[in-house]
Amino acid sequence: MVLELLRYYGSRGLRVAKAHMQYIWDTGGRRYIDLHTEHGVAFLGHNNPRVVERLKAQLDELVVCNPSFGCSVQEEALEKLSAIAPSGADTVLFANSGAEAVEAALKIAWAYTGRRRIVTFRGSFHGRTLGALSVTWGPSYRRGFPVLEDVVFLPFNAEPAVLEKMFPEDAAAVIVEPVQGEGGVIPAKEDFLKALESIARERNALLIVDEVQAGFGRTGRVWAYEHYGIKPDIVVAGKALGGGFPVSAVFTRRELASVLRGGRHGSTYAANPLALAAVSAAVSVLLEEDVPRLAGERGSVFMELLSDRLSGVRSVREVRGRGLMIGVDTRFNPLPVLKCLQARGVLALRAGVTVVRFLAPYMVTEEDMEEASNALRECLANRAS
Ligand SMILES: *Cc1c(COP(=O)(O)O)cnc(C)c1O
């Protein structure tokens, strides 16, 4: 008997034979424009040649090397990452997934402040391990699991006066996405994030910015929080960070990170040579190809195309986003629309309850975006008839 693979989500009914940059091909040889990118992981494209080459070289050189020992790929990765480190951060720790990095960030906040309470937001998503799950919104993720109780959910994009009133005095930290991804592609408002920063500071709570989905160039800046002129205490990155390789990171100040020394945190595979090689190559691509600027420009083109093609389509409530993180809010469950798009050679994903989400890789062309916009218009029109 052969084991069955547990699928956490429904099957898309597509077998991938190969993939290159913004395209994937199914086993029948059919080509798809991939604007799903495995929840944004393949933002630098599938099998980005520079990432693949670097990984192959690392495989030949060294595969296992724990941070207690030294190896040259560590220095290489640190040097590369220094060029894009969030302002104020002088220390990084690595993990293997977004959720794990969120756990590490929360542990830093608890250990550093000696407080317990964490502030988070309605609609937020931070991962599915128990700490990360505890600060994630919604019964669909949380039901049946023993989540932490010292967590306060505030309204996302609340008015500053409301934040001021609702933000607890004894919080260890607040964790926030600069653009809510899973929650429906909702960019934070400027006065909201700025007020959040100053209220957190005033109450001695750390500001954790979760850039797992929005970060690494996707919104038009390396980090999405840069659009707001705020200064996080801790920044969490993942998804696109390894150019497709599973790796995540937490950036912070030495003073904060040091609380995890002495074995208070750790993870066997964290900072393994392959992950670090992938990060090095991904950062090289990000900087040398000017990825954030391209993502910003192409994102504007895509938003305009979508707004133009969808104007007058009754079921469309809003086209919104930042850079290449784009959502089309419909008035219904978009799953049939995603299926229809797939049948027309375009892969997208859902966000929130009613949003068609596009997480395009940065090399997406105007032709690809036209094709996707036209396909979406047809799929929405078909649905209405
Ligand atoms: C995907 C995501 C996570 C969790 O990352 P995993 O790698 O799935 O654990 C955390 N935060 C945000 C904002 C995400 O989009």
Side-chain angles (χ1 to χ4, degrees):
M1 199 192 69
V2 178
L3 290 168
E4 179 193 337
L5 173 67
L6 175 74
R7 287 184 209 278
Y8 299 110
Y9 319 105
S11 165
R12 300 278 298 228
L14 191 164
R15 287 177 63 79
V16 179
K18 61 170 186 173
H20 181 71
M21 300 310 254
Q22 73 270 45
Y23 304 118
I24 69 171
W25 286 263
D26 68 13
T27 46
R30 172 138 201 236
R31 194 196 79 172
Y32 297 81
I33 302 168
D34 186 10
L35 309 181
H36 178 299
T37 55
E38 190 49 52
H39 298 88
V41 169
F43 173 62
L44 299 183
H46 288 276
N47 295 44
N48 184 297
R50 295 184 63 179
V51 177
V52 170
E53 255 171 57
R54 183 66 192 83
L55 277 169
K56 282 182 177 166
Q58 191 61 44
L59 273 169
D60 283 334
E61 192 185 305
L62 183 70
V63 173
V64 179
C65 166
N66 185 278
S68 301
F69 299 86
C71 48
S72 65
V73 69
Q74 289 168 7
E75 283 98 61
E76 180 191 343
L78 292 175
E79 196 181 309
K80 294 273 182 200
L81 279 174
S82 298
I84 62 160
S87 89
D90 56 12
T91 306
V92 63
L93 63 93
F94 293 95
N96 309 291
S97 70
E100 245 190 281
V102 167
E103 298 285 337
L106 294 174
K107 283 173 82 173
I108 289 172
W110 285 315
Y112 181 78
T113 63
R115 298 174 174 183
R116 296 293 296 273
R117 199 176 305 284
I118 304 288
V119 176
T120 178
F121 294 92
R122 297 183 196 151
S124 65
F125 183 88
H126 299 291
R128 300 164 190 270
T129 54
L130 285 180
L133 184 65
S134 299
V135 294
T136 288
W137 173 254
S140 64
Y141 303 114
R142 299 161 61 92
R143 194 187 310 119
F145 303 120
V147 290
L148 301 171
E149 282 168 8
D150 276 342
V151 174
V152 180
F153 287 89
L154 301 186
F156 188 68
N157 277 337
E159 295 296 326
V162 175
L163 273 184
E164 181 82 45
K165 215 171 96 197
M166 295 178 79
F167 199 102
E169 296 287 341
D170 60 348
V174 53
I175 182 165
V176 66
E177 294 163 87
V179 182
Q180 283 195 340
E182 300 307 309
V185 191
I186 305 170
K189 290 184 180 150
E190 181 150 355
D191 62 349
F192 164 74
L193 267 197
K194 286 203 149 128
L196 187 64
E197 179 194 36
S198 70
I199 295 164
R201 262 312 94 93
E202 175 197 298
R203 302 194 184 166
N204 295 313
L206 298 176
L207 174 60
I208 304 171
V209 175
D210 182 344
E211 294 266 0
V212 171
Q213 191 162 145
F216 212 64
R218 199 188 307 279
T219 68
R221 305 293 292 265
V222 175
W223 307 112
Y225 80 76
E226 294 175 72
H227 292 288
Y228 299 87
I230 58 168
K231 240 181 117 167
D233 296 298
I234 303 176
V235 171
V236 184
K239 291 202 166 104
L241 177 69
F245 197 89
V247 57
S248 59
V250 179
F251 298 90
T252 187
R253 302 190 293 279
R254 191 166 306 125
E255 177 202 6
L256 297 179
S258 300
V259 297
L260 296 184
R261 283 190 208 279
R264 289 188 91 187
H265 190 65
S267 174
T268 302
Y269 292 127
N272 71 80
L274 290 175
L276 296 185
V279 169
S280 292
V283 175
S284 297
V285 173
L286 182 86
L287 293 177
E288 288 162 33
E289 311 281 324
D290 217 354
V291 168
R293 182 180 61 80
L294 293 175
E297 289 172 8
R298 288 169 186 165
S300 303
V301 170
F302 199 7
M303 290 258 277
E304 273 171 36
L305 276 167
L306 285 165
S307 303
D308 176 72
R309 299 301 190 273
L310 302 177
S311 78
V313 177
R314 263 193 310 133
S315 54
V316 173
R317 204 178 299 174
E318 191 181 19
V319 179
R320 60 175 179 251
R322 250 191 202 282
L324 282 173
M325 192 169 176
I326 297 176
V328 176
D329 198 349
T330 66
R331 297 178 189 280
F332 49 85
N333 179 342
L335 286 182
V337 174
L338 296 179
K339 260 195 184 155
C340 170
L341 283 173
Q342 184 171 319
R344 282 158 204 261
V346 177
L347 303 179
L349 65 166
R350 176 159 87 165
V353 183
T354 57
V355 178
V356 176
R357 177 172 31 155
F358 295 110
L359 294 176
Y362 84 90
M363 79 294 308
V364 68
T365 65
E366 193 155 342
E367 256 186 315
D368 297 328
M369 296 187 281
E370 283 236 31
E371 204 174 317
S373 307
N374 290 336
L376 182 58
R377 189 196 51 213
E378 286 165 26
C379 288
L380 288 170
N382 282 359
R383 189 194 163 273
S385 61

